[in-house]
Amino acid sequence: MRIIDINTAYGPYTGASATTGSGELEQRLKAAGVEKAVSLCSYGIYYSYRDGNARTLKTCQESSLLMPAATVDPRGFFGQKELLPKLKEAGFRLLRFFPDLQEWDTEHLVFEDLLRLNADVGLPVMISVTAPGQVTRVFRIAGDLGYPVILQGIGYLQLAETIAAARRSECFMAETSGLSMPATLELLSGSIGADRILFGSGACERSVEIARDFVLSAHIPDGDKEKIFYENSARVLGV
Amino acid sequence: MRIIDINCRIGAIPVLGNQFTAENLLGSMQKNEVKAAVISSTISDTVDFMAGNRLVYQTVEKYAGKANLFGAVTVNTAFPDESVEEMRKYLFNERMVAVRVVADNRKSPLLHSTCRAIINSQRRYAAPVLIHAKNAADVEVIELLAAEFKTMRFIILGMGEDDWKHAVLAAETNTNISLELSGRISSDKIDYTLKTLGSHRLFYGSSLPYVDGALFKAFVENANIDDGEKADIFFNNGKRLLDNKL
């Protein structure tokens, strides 16, 4: 089965070693049979999004497997309208946000500004949502902006909120790396349809094989698994 | 008055990304009469302590003989093996004068177990240990380490921030703990510290580039202490830390 992994990262704090790099990530992805992966350097999360985006782009330009995800930290964004168009032009396939790791709230006005600015750019957006209420807050801003919004890291406690948001807006989708409870993928797929679920592993920090096998072992049709593993991401990313 | 700053950094300001280079630091030092500085890197604070150490080492080497820049080797409690290797790699150099311990990505609390593993490996080096304490809980971890490793010198950076009195009391109990005064600017902080510890165990640090280089200088200058005590804080204590390498 062909696989696109929409949620990977490399660099410090993405693995057990301080030097976990893109080479190690690629090895793990290849070993798990992943054909393409969207990735970013952890410098963009923890240090500076400008520095991190530059590193990510350089790494992905030298890789046949990795596609670049950009990130912007709202705490360091001062309204430069040209930023998002430039990121798209540079070849970034996805725009990621990390409110939990960076400790800002999805009520952040600048986050809202960024999501609204992206309406003219149309980059798919992926947002880490691990706390109650985050999905709702994201939905209230981006529910009608017209581009794909992927909710990343949802666990069983965010399932109801995710399903409610996805039922209200066709743009809302779910990523799989936070799912681990039995029957949750089946519930999600039955509620919002397999067309709106995207495979993500969370590698290097998390095991690609375990994330893959969780989807493989779900009680859903093989055609739905193909959508989750490959077709949905290919459509969203323009692969 | 001459000043030695034992707590400043170079590198991009986290989140904003604006570079604070060695040249920027030297400009601030000149403006504020700082004669020498012990530097680390903002990269080490946030994401990559090994890359930060490389930057610090390259910088102190580049300015050897031109400016009084000294380096602190940053070790990270999340990566004990790599941290030991970093100390082995850099502490042979006489301009790398201290070890600075950070916990994970700096927001994490200090944990005694992980700090202990690194400190235990650091015993072979004479360099003092700089540890930023964010609160009383972090200070307590440093107290435990100081009590166990009595021959080592610990300097609490930031004085436990809001819990600075706790840091003063920890230093009163443990003579191998000294304090660096950045952190909270409380009107009675310097006076209280000197009454409890004397002026020989309080070091000057600016926290550049997170804080303007003039701020903590003014804090000491405006304190109600005599010139000899100010000279200890600003210069004499730092000079001892540098083993008279100036």
Side-chain angles (χ1 to χ4, degrees):
Chain A
M1 207 170 280
R2 302 177 76 184
I3 301 176
I4 295 174
D5 187 341
I6 200 158
N7 175 22
T8 75
Y10 65 91
Y13 297 117
T14 61
S17 156
T19 53
T20 304
S22 59
E24 188 173 336
L25 172 63
E26 289 196 51
Q27 276 182 359
R28 292 188 194 185
L29 292 166
K30 282 176 188 165
V34 173
E35 187 175 313
K36 289 276 182 191
V38 183
S39 194
L40 87 171
C41 174
S42 61
Y43 270 61
I45 306 170
Y46 297 109
Y47 182 51
S48 148
Y49 68 84
R50 285 192 263 166
D51 188 318
N53 288 342
R55 287 169 188 264
T56 299
L57 198 59
K58 185 171 185 295
T59 298
C60 294
Q61 281 168 344
E62 294 164 0
S63 168
S64 57
L65 196 157
L66 302 179
M67 296 181 286
T71 186
V72 180
D73 184 335
R75 298 169 304 170
F77 179 76
F78 298 91
Q80 47 287 38
K81 288 183 179 165
E82 69 283 3
L83 177 67
L84 299 184
K86 277 187 177 174
L87 291 174
K88 187 172 186 182
E89 195 182 316
F92 286 100
R93 302 293 189 103
L94 183 67
L95 177 60
R96 295 194 62 173
F97 293 98
F98 300 92
D100 43 359
L101 293 175
Q102 295 172 337
E103 297 182 329
W104 49 267
D105 195 278
T106 40
E107 296 269 21
H108 204 295
L109 269 180
V110 181
F111 173 59
E112 180 174 341
D113 288 346
L114 281 160
L115 291 182
R116 294 197 183 286
L117 281 172
N118 189 49
D120 293 332
V121 181
L123 271 169
V125 164
M126 186 154 81
I127 305 162
S128 173
V129 282
T130 52
Q134 280 183 323
V135 172
T136 301
R137 291 193 285 273
V138 172
F139 172 79
R140 293 213 165 112
I141 303 167
D144 58 357
L145 292 178
Y147 53 78
V149 176
I150 304 156
L151 304 170
Q152 176 252 312
I154 52 167
Y156 73 96
L157 293 175
Q158 287 83 41
L159 266 186
E161 213 179 350
T162 298
I163 290 166
R167 280 178 174 156
R168 284 170 168 81
S169 170
E170 288 182 2
C171 299
F172 271 59
M173 302 177 166
E175 180 264 359
T176 59
S177 68
L179 299 175
S180 57
M181 184 182 275
T184 43
L185 187 56
E186 289 85 339
L187 173 62
L188 192 60
S189 183
S191 302
I192 66 174
D195 291 335
R196 292 159 71 190
I197 304 171
L198 286 71
F199 172 72
S201 69
C204 272
E205 186 188 0
R206 297 187 185 192
S207 160
V208 190
E209 281 87 353
I210 288 175
R212 177 199 63 194
D213 293 349
F214 182 78
V215 177
L216 280 175
S217 61
H219 297 289
I220 55 176
D222 282 350
D224 286 352
K225 291 176 187 173
E226 285 169 8
K227 290 178 182 174
I228 293 168
F229 274 130
Y230 189 88
E231 290 170 20
N232 298 337
S233 288
R235 185 180 71 246
V236 167
L237 299 167
V239 172
Chain B
M1 196 170 275
R2 296 175 300 172
I3 297 175
I4 294 173
D5 182 349
I6 72 156
N7 184 20
C8 52
R9 294 166 187 78
I10 55 174
I13 296 170
V15 181
L16 303 185
N18 306 38
Q19 284 293 334
F20 187 74
T21 63
E23 288 71 28
N24 297 137
L25 173 63
L26 290 168
S28 173
M29 287 170 65
Q30 187 175 19
K31 186 176 157 196
N32 292 300
E33 301 174 279
V34 176
K35 304 298 177 198
V38 179
I39 64 171
S40 52
S41 168
T42 56
I43 307 173
S44 299
D45 286 345
T46 49
V47 67
D48 191 339
F49 72 106
M50 295 163 76
N53 286 336
R54 279 196 298 278
L55 176 65
V56 167
Y57 180 69
Q58 287 162 2
T59 302
V60 299
E61 282 290 286
K62 179 181 172 185
Y63 287 96
K66 300 173 198 157
N68 287 315
L69 294 184
F70 298 89
V73 180
T74 300
V75 294
N76 187 316
T77 57
F79 304 107
D81 293 343
E82 292 94 332
S83 294
V84 170
E85 179 59 22
E86 290 293 283
M87 289 190 284
R88 192 197 62 73
K89 196 190 296 182
Y90 294 114
L91 283 177
F92 73 92
N93 186 292
E94 65 168 10
R95 299 183 78 81
M96 302 295 278
V97 296
V99 171
R100 190 172 66 106
V101 179
V102 298
D104 215 338
N105 63 356
R106 205 165 177 255
K107 290 171 187 160
S108 311
L110 287 178
L111 295 175
H112 177 252
S113 55
T114 51
C115 287
R116 189 187 179 284
I118 291 175
I119 302 292
N120 196 36
S121 311
Q122 198 267 349
R123 279 189 300 180
R124 74 188 76 165
Y125 308 104
V129 180
L130 315 178
I131 311 184
H132 182 253
K134 296 178 289 299
N135 48 37
D138 284 355
V139 171
E140 284 190 358
V141 170
I142 300 169
E143 275 191 276
L144 287 172
L145 296 168
E148 182 175 358
F149 300 100
K150 289 183 187 303
T151 59
M152 295 176 63
R153 291 173 293 163
F154 294 84
I155 300 175
I156 301 180
L157 303 179
M159 285 184 69
E161 302 288 345
D162 289 358
D163 297 331
W164 59 267
K165 275 192 181 173
H166 201 95
V168 176
L169 296 174
E172 185 182 27
T173 312
N174 300 274
T175 55
N176 56 338
I177 293 180
S178 296
L179 308 173
E180 178 270 332
L181 68 70
S182 71
R184 190 176 179 90
I185 297 183
S186 301
S187 54
D188 53 349
K189 182 174 166 181
I190 294 177
D191 185 51
Y192 181 89
T193 303
L194 264 56
K195 278 184 179 149
T196 310
L197 300 178
S199 60
H200 294 91
R201 288 161 66 195
L202 183 59
F203 289 82
Y204 177 77
S206 67
S207 274
L208 271 169
Y210 302 117
V211 176
D212 187 282
L215 198 142
F216 284 105
K217 182 187 174 196
F219 187 37
V220 178
E221 283 173 338
N222 294 330
N224 189 24
I225 56 177
D226 65 40
D227 284 351
E229 290 170 324
K230 286 179 186 173
D232 283 344
I233 297 167
F234 271 141
F235 190 79
N236 297 334
N237 298 338
K239 192 178 175 194
R240 277 202 313 281
L241 179 88
L242 295 175
D243 273 339
N244 298 313
K245 285 171 184 157
L246 284 180

